[in-house]
Amino acid sequence: MRVATDIGGTFTDLVCLEFSENQAKLRVAKSDTTPGQLEKGILNTLDLADISLEEVSFLAHGTTVVINTLTERKGAKTALITTKGFKDVLEIARSNRPDLFNYNFVKQPSFVPRHLCFEVEERLTYKGDIVTPLNTDNLKDIANTCIEEQVEAIAVCFLHAYVNSEHEKQVLKEIRALLPDIPVIASHAVNREWREYERTSSTVLSAYILPTTKNYLDNLNSQLKQKGLKNSFFVMQSNGGINTVNSVKENPITLVESGPASGIIGGAKLGTEIGKKNLIVLDIGGTTAKCSLIENGEVNITTTYKIDHSRTEAGYPIQTPVIDIVEIGNGGGSIAWVDAGGKIHVGPQSAGAYPGPASYGKGGDKITTTDANLFCGRIHPDYFLGGKMKPDMESLNKAFDKLADKLNLSARDIAIGVLRVANASMVNALKLISVNKGYDPRDFSLMVIGGGGGMHAAFLAEELQIPEIIVPVNAGVFSAFGMLMTDLRKDFLQTKVIQLSSENLSYFTEVYQQMEEEAIAGYVADGFKKEEVSFEYFADMRYSGQEHYVKLDLASKPKSEKDLLTLVTQFHKIHKKKYTFELEAVIEWVNFHVVAKVLVDKPVFPKISKAKNTIEEAIHDKVMVDFGAMGSAEATVYDREKFGKGMTLEGPAIIAESSTTTVIPPKFSAKIDDWGNLIIKKNG
């Protein structure tokens, strides 16, 4: 058995592949996420799927514990030890505004208060040479203050430690001896890229979540082993790969986008399998909507990630490899509310699983996106929450009446308005990863996953003129399935600014060789063999004098002048695509980037057999559905589990399944491909 679990803001999903006699049997389960006891939601899904952990050979896990700890400010009380003269790096930040003329700008508080920022005498040049030797005479005083202040975690970040980490390692050793019960993390273990503020912020945030994440992973590991799991589980990282529990505990910030990353990776793998390599993947869950663009089957990785970033807040940078994802607070449980001016908003507040949307009948009295879809007939009552719950229509109508009285509008107008607002937010998110980066959405297919993806896809595709929609099999738990398609992955980045020239060829090779050796040592410590490790090579380059750079995918380590000439051509081409121009200027190599992988056995996407029954036999009901601007019409409700290869259907239609619902508006049609995916297009 190979199992993957994914904890979302509202639901916890599970996918299990059981192999026997060269056949794979798929089981899926979905349970409420249990805040405060996240591991309980996982154990619930294991029970629902009737899985004995003693039979499980591989278990991967995606979690929102890191991002939730950060956004909810529930991490450890953290102190910072830094170079003398630089204790105000976090306070100064970048001193910029995300929206220059927005007078509602808010200066966000640092995760470390100024009185817990400590200085140690030391100084390096940007080349790593020692200017001022390390003086640790005041470390005992710092340790005593940390005890008095009940500090729970410590971050160490020295200037230019990304080049030379010896001072950090010495302080790390001494402070751990003085404070053995307080977890400490240093910047060289978090990232080795330049930019002092971003590096300091990343180290502090990793320390801030360290105790919470460690306790959570240790507790989950213990409970799973008690239930019979023989091998330790793997954890999904933000870079699109899995890693061992011990490795991620050393730098937990790598899990900041643990959950969403797996859905994007799964989408890329499926797209390659079915011949659709240019994709916009949209994952709509219960709390958020996430989207990412895949070009030619490749997922874009960035290290310029931020949390709590908005038009009025600069956010907090995290310099760790993350799949380039745009995330908004808009999901099935997002609450509709009215501001002082009478304008309707949707999200980012969520009703979660408890009390949940008004239609759950658990005490929720506020309208959510799910309630609006149900009110408009886009969710059939027999398939509400996969048929596990009958919607509480009385509570639903009361919630709509309450809002209708406040706005002096009909309940129908409010329901359509809520969906239009939610869709508008999602369209803006899709533009951020496509139009705003020079990509035409019409050149891509829209793949939708998550419990809410299929309900909104057609309306979003209509707005952006995306020609094709793909709804995978078991789309509602696809993020969990994506974890079964990932390899172990560790990213190693090192800033070393040097001119791209043939004179430096041996230097380039030497740096990559050193990074390879470090990667192999890490995997061997985790119990893997040197022969199992494979490498991919990347480089961040810029024109001399520029501030930012572009990432190049190297086929291999550069070994000849010919390889360097290829890189020059590649750089000019990518730079022009991204920034619309190229220069006759010196090119500089900024960051060396090595991806070290250990490949794992992955399931194939199975093809389905041709249906023995007709499409008519899959009909469950006929209901009136309000499609908003597309009008109201009688829609045919289909049971997706009765579909077979090659079937076609015309909208208006509602396709229901255990984990999600797909809406096919008028003038749209759908076809079931060889793998069982729904391929939806607009007629004509």
Side-chain angles (χ1 to χ4, degrees), residues 77-80 90-91 110-117:
K77 187 174 184 180
T78 305
L80 169 66
L90 293 176
E91 295 291 340
S110 167
F111 274 78
V112 179
R114 193 172 185 273
H115 72 278
L116 291 181
C117 293

Side-chain angles (χ1 to χ4, degrees), residues 39 127 171 202 215 225 329 371 422 582 587 597 661 679-680:
E39 62 278 359
K127 293 182 179 181
V171 168
S202 304
N215 291 340
K225 285 187 175 179
D371 293 320
E582 57 183 274
I587 299 173
K597 290 184 176 181
T661 292
I679 310 297
I680 304 167

Side-chain angles (χ1 to χ4, degrees), residues 437 541 543 546-550 571 573-582:
K437 295 189 176 181
M541 296 184 184
Y543 290 117
Q546 285 185 318
E547 171 68 9
H548 298 287
Y549 38 78
V550 296
F571 171 78
K573 182 179 178 181
I574 294 175
H575 191 280
K576 187 171 183 179
K577 181 176 181 178
K578 188 169 184 179
Y579 296 110
T580 74
F581 69 92
E582 57 183 274

Side-chain angles (χ1 to χ4, degrees), residues 60-108:
H61 173 54
T63 177
T64 55
V65 66
V66 168
I67 189 66
N68 289 347
T69 301
L70 290 172
T71 56
E72 295 171 10
R73 300 296 189 275
K74 292 182 178 179
K77 187 174 184 180
T78 305
L80 169 66
I81 300 175
T82 189
T83 303
K84 185 177 181 180
F86 290 86
K87 69 181 292 182
D88 290 320
V89 164
L90 293 176
E91 295 291 340
I92 297 169
R94 279 289 167 198
S95 300
N96 57 358
R97 296 187 180 196
D99 186 353
L100 186 60
F101 300 106
N102 193 325
Y103 289 103
N104 294 315
F105 174 76
V106 177
K107 179 75 167 67
Q108 294 160 289

Side-chain angles (χ1 to χ4, degrees), residues 397-652:
N397 292 327
K398 283 182 180 178
F400 269 107
D401 290 342
K402 183 179 177 181
L403 204 55
D405 291 341
K406 184 174 183 178
L407 294 173
N408 195 26
L409 292 170
S410 69
R412 185 264 178 190
D413 288 340
I414 289 174
I416 294 299
V418 167
L419 294 177
R420 286 180 64 186
V421 170
N423 286 341
S425 296
M426 294 176 198
V427 165
N428 287 336
L430 293 171
K431 286 180 178 178
L432 286 174
I433 52 105
S434 59
V435 178
N436 288 25
K437 295 189 176 181
Y439 295 99
D440 189 337
R442 294 173 294 186
D443 296 333
F444 293 79
S445 298
L446 177 64
M447 181 179 287
V448 289
I449 58 177
M455 284 185 279
H456 296 263
F459 304 96
L460 304 177
E462 172 84 352
E463 178 73 20
L464 292 170
Q465 300 179 41
I466 298 174
E468 181 180 65
I469 301 162
I470 303 169
V471 186
V473 177
N474 293 306
V477 293
F478 194 78
S479 284
F481 187 80
M483 287 178 214
L484 299 179
M485 309 301 296
T486 60
D487 298 307
L488 276 87
R489 171 172 173 152
K490 295 184 180 183
D491 284 73
F492 297 84
L493 285 96
Q494 176 70 66
T495 297
K496 289 183 180 290
V497 183
I498 188 170
Q499 185 175 329
L500 178 60
S501 65
S502 57
E503 290 82 4
N504 295 321
L505 179 59
S506 60
Y507 179 81
F508 303 149
T509 306
E510 181 184 337
V511 173
Y512 278 127
Q513 182 66 34
Q514 291 172 354
M515 297 172 80
E516 285 179 8
E517 292 172 0
E518 183 181 356
I520 290 171
Y523 274 121
V524 170
D526 282 337
F528 297 95
K529 297 177 182 177
K530 175 181 177 180
E531 295 74 22
E532 294 180 272
V533 185
S534 60
F535 297 100
E536 296 173 3
Y537 306 93
F538 300 87
D540 294 327
M541 296 184 184
R542 68 178 185 180
Y543 290 117
S544 180
Q546 285 185 318
E547 171 68 9
H548 298 287
Y549 38 78
V550 296
K551 186 174 290 291
L552 278 68
D553 186 348
L554 282 58
S556 63
K557 288 182 291 187
K559 300 173 183 176
S560 65
E561 288 189 33
K562 183 180 178 181
D563 291 341
L564 296 185
L565 289 173
T566 301
L567 287 180
V568 170
T569 303
Q570 188 181 354
F571 171 78
H572 285 309
K573 182 179 178 181
I574 294 175
H575 191 280
K576 187 171 183 179
K577 181 176 181 178
K578 188 169 184 179
Y579 296 110
T580 74
F581 69 92
E582 57 183 274
L583 300 173
E584 292 184 8
V586 172
I587 299 173
E588 288 181 332
W589 202 307
V590 179
N591 290 326
F592 292 78
H593 183 180
V594 169
V595 174
K597 290 184 176 181
V598 170
L599 304 184
V600 300
D601 292 331
K602 293 178 282 293
V604 297
F605 290 96
K607 292 187 176 182
I608 63 172
S609 58
K610 193 170 179 65
K612 297 178 181 179
N613 54 311
T614 63
I615 190 71
E616 286 72 22
E617 292 177 70
I619 296 175
H620 175 75
D621 198 1
K622 290 183 182 288
V623 295
M624 287 299 297
V625 177
D626 193 330
F627 295 98
M630 299 182 188
S632 295
E634 185 180 62
T636 306
V637 181
Y638 294 93
D639 184 344
R640 185 171 180 177
E641 294 180 3
K642 296 179 180 179
F643 283 171
K645 179 172 65 177
M647 282 185 172
T648 60
L649 60 94
E650 296 291 326

